[in-house]
Amino acid sequence: MPRSPKQRLSHLTNRLHPNTEHVCRPCGDPGPRARSTPAAPACTPCSCARPPSEDHLMKLSRRRPSSAVAAAALALMLPLAACGSSSDTGSGGKTLRVWHYETQDSALSKAWDAAITTFEQTHPGVKVEFERKTFDQIQQSAGMILNSDKAPDVMEYNKGNATAGLLSKQGLLTDLTQVAKDRGWAAKISDSASVPARYNDRGEMGGDKWVGVPNYGEFVLAYYDKDLFAKYGVSVPTDMAGFEDALAKFKAAGVTPLANAGNDHPASHWLYLLALSKADKKWVQDYQTFSGKIDFHGPEWTYAVETYKRWLDKGYFDKNDVGLKGSDMTEQFVSGKRPILVGGNWWFGGFKTDIKDFDWSTAVFPGSKITLGSSGNLWVVPQRSKNKTLAEDFIDITMSPEIQAMIGNNGNVPIAAQPDAITDPKSRELVGQFDQIQKSDGLGYYPDWPAAGYYDVFVSATQNLMNGADAKSVLDEIAAPYEKQAASRQ
């Protein structure tokens, strides 16, 4: 899931020095801790739930020979011996084996710890074997593990065509379509939020078959420094005209209004957000699924690039931000230098912790009914799970009002919580905004999902725009790989 700046640094450290934490429940005794250096993912954009940033740019340093994939798979298998052999693990419906890769003390980890406790209370005599994996271990070795008798009963896995879609196409994931209907999960999740959980026979998102269940969501929204708005007499905008008026007033007062980072996902997210402001849901579906032709010189992308360039020329963005990373952008906002940051809810927890000197608020981006975002990663049930009903029971608990509220109160965005169940005021506001977007079917996903390697193209194109490239050349740059991918499907 997306993380705060401090959590992202910790996450990077964990990925460079991966370890496996094995805990046998209910006894709580730690099993063996295995250290390994698993092969890193090639970081195809659609395979990772997190918008690429610092960890994406680490990909070159983390590539390993293919033999390391086997080592990573072995590291995943070894801890299982701590609680018995494969012949007795999970036999007779007495054991539930759960894997996930969320960092300890994160909102999701806390919620899922509580879900395990609830599961144990409601399933007397059933032992939970929980193993905390690293992101890279599961990313690289899931296919090998799930095709063996070492597969867990339920695990967190990455949404996307190259991950959950691929394993579904290979027959390694249980079809949860009927279960999602019978247990009410499908009714709790909007159509747009369920797209990354549903796949077709080609392993492409948006099909009819549920292969996983998301517990949380993510979306791009506006963050406002209310103190700076008050200081300069600027009104918080409610539409695009008001947003541009606010930008102009700040600039006239000598303040660069927009935080930005050209060498990371934020700048390219701006391009897609501006395109979405001129798009409808059919355009989003056509773009993301190749179900219709996309004209990169049409009104959506043309408006996006030309508006971005106009804002650069007016000084609403600082052209010197071209080399900055996401953490630099958040520092611009946290330090009170930039009054507006438009970015993901993954920054929200860090802001709650780090901002001490001014009042701030969040809002749905006022210029568009559709925003970047999606549901989060998935709980999946491997086809070779020995306890599928128990796995479904566990997923059901994670979708319960109590666990969903816990996710929200700890700073994340639950997929199915009622805002009134969230006690923290800022978190309740955030959850309400996501709920508003879900109800209006306003999740537009991410610009780099359609084609492998597209993330790097968007970063390059946006940097070229910030460095003075003309709109036509930038549109041609982002069109080329997309059109190549579209042609390969015919």
Side-chain angles (χ1 to χ4, degrees), residues 21-39:
E21 175 184 327
H22 181 231
V23 179
C24 262
R25 292 175 179 256
C27 64
D29 292 335
R33 298 177 63 86
R35 287 199 173 271
S36 63
T37 308

Side-chain angles (χ1 to χ4, degrees), residues 464-488:
N464 289 338
L465 188 61
M466 296 176 75
N467 284 327
D470 63 272
K472 182 181 182 302
S473 66
V474 172
L475 290 168
D476 289 342
E477 185 175 0
I478 62 176
Y482 184 95
E483 292 171 351
K484 181 179 179 180
Q485 177 72 11
S488 71

Side-chain angles (χ1 to χ4, degrees), residues 80-374:
L80 299 176
C83 288
S85 67
S86 60
S87 62
D88 61 14
T89 297
S91 61
K94 298 299 182 183
T95 304
L96 178 71
R97 291 166 46 217
V98 180
W99 290 4
H100 73 69
Y101 49 73
E102 299 304 324
T103 55
Q104 197 165 8
D105 296 327
S106 68
L108 291 178
S109 184
K110 290 176 181 177
W112 294 344
D113 284 348
I116 290 173
T117 298
T118 300
F119 179 91
E120 292 169 345
Q121 292 171 347
T122 56
H123 294 74
V126 178
K127 179 175 63 177
V128 174
E129 292 179 8
F130 163 61
E131 296 181 38
R132 192 187 310 276
K133 303 297 182 180
T134 67
F135 178 88
D136 284 350
Q137 284 175 322
I138 290 182
Q139 174 79 352
Q140 276 297 303
S141 306
M144 297 175 64
I145 298 301
L146 299 195
N147 202 25
S148 74
D149 62 0
K150 302 296 184 182
D153 295 306
V154 60
M155 64 180 283
E156 179 186 13
Y157 197 54
N158 314 321
K159 66 193 174 191
N161 296 351
T163 46
L166 178 61
L167 295 192
S168 173
K169 181 180 178 181
Q170 294 172 341
L172 297 177
L173 301 180
T174 300
D175 183 347
L176 298 175
T177 306
Q178 191 59 48
V179 177
K181 293 178 182 177
D182 293 345
R183 292 187 180 250
W185 306 334
K188 293 180 179 180
I189 304 172
S190 70
D191 286 343
S192 58
S194 70
V195 164
R198 297 181 285 109
Y199 294 81
N200 60 23
D201 291 340
R202 296 174 63 176
E204 297 170 334
M205 289 190 297
D208 295 328
K209 183 170 70 173
W210 286 69
V211 304
V213 180
N215 284 155
Y216 67 97
E218 56 194 43
F219 69 115
V220 166
L221 66 158
Y223 297 86
Y224 298 126
D225 181 333
K226 295 173 68 175
D227 287 6
L228 286 180
F229 271 80
K231 177 180 179 179
Y232 292 102
V234 180
S235 299
V236 173
T238 57
D239 55 25
M240 182 58 96
F243 189 81
E244 291 211 53
D245 183 62
L247 300 182
K249 288 181 176 178
F250 277 121
K251 186 59 183 177
V255 177
T256 301
L258 294 171
N260 199 16
N263 194 24
D264 209 336
H265 68 269
S268 54
H269 279 190
W270 261 114
L271 284 187
Y272 190 51
L273 181 59
L274 290 168
L276 290 175
S277 73
K278 296 298 181 182
D280 56 22
K281 286 300 294 184
K282 184 181 184 305
W283 185 91
V284 173
Q285 181 178 359
D286 289 346
Y287 176 75
Q288 293 288 344
T289 67
F290 299 94
S291 54
K293 182 175 175 57
I294 294 296
D295 181 2
F296 281 84
H297 291 273
E300 298 84 6
W301 281 116
T302 299
Y303 172 80
V305 172
E306 289 183 348
T307 299
Y308 194 98
K309 183 172 178 59
R310 176 165 53 85
W311 288 1
L312 280 167
D313 293 341
K314 287 179 175 289
Y316 301 163
F317 291 121
D318 188 335
K319 295 180 181 180
N320 291 326
D321 294 344
V322 65
L324 299 187
K325 307 286 292 208
S327 57
D328 300 314
M329 177 190 73
T330 61
E331 181 58 27
Q332 292 173 340
F333 185 73
V334 170
S335 65
K337 295 177 181 177
R338 305 282 175 91
I340 302 172
L341 184 149
V342 174
N345 69 284
W346 45 92
W347 303 119
F348 178 86
F351 291 164
K352 282 189 66 178
T353 300
D354 297 338
I355 296 176
K356 306 293 186 184
D357 300 327
F358 62 87
D359 191 15
W360 58 282
S361 65
T362 59
V364 173
F365 179 68
S368 179
K369 294 180 180 179
I370 307 173
T371 189
L372 292 83
S374 72

Side-chain angles (χ1 to χ4, degrees), residues 2 17 159 249 345 377 404 436 441 485:
H17 303 284
K159 66 193 174 191
K249 288 181 176 178
N345 69 284
N377 284 333
Q404 287 287 297
Q436 173 187 338
D441 202 25
Q485 177 72 11

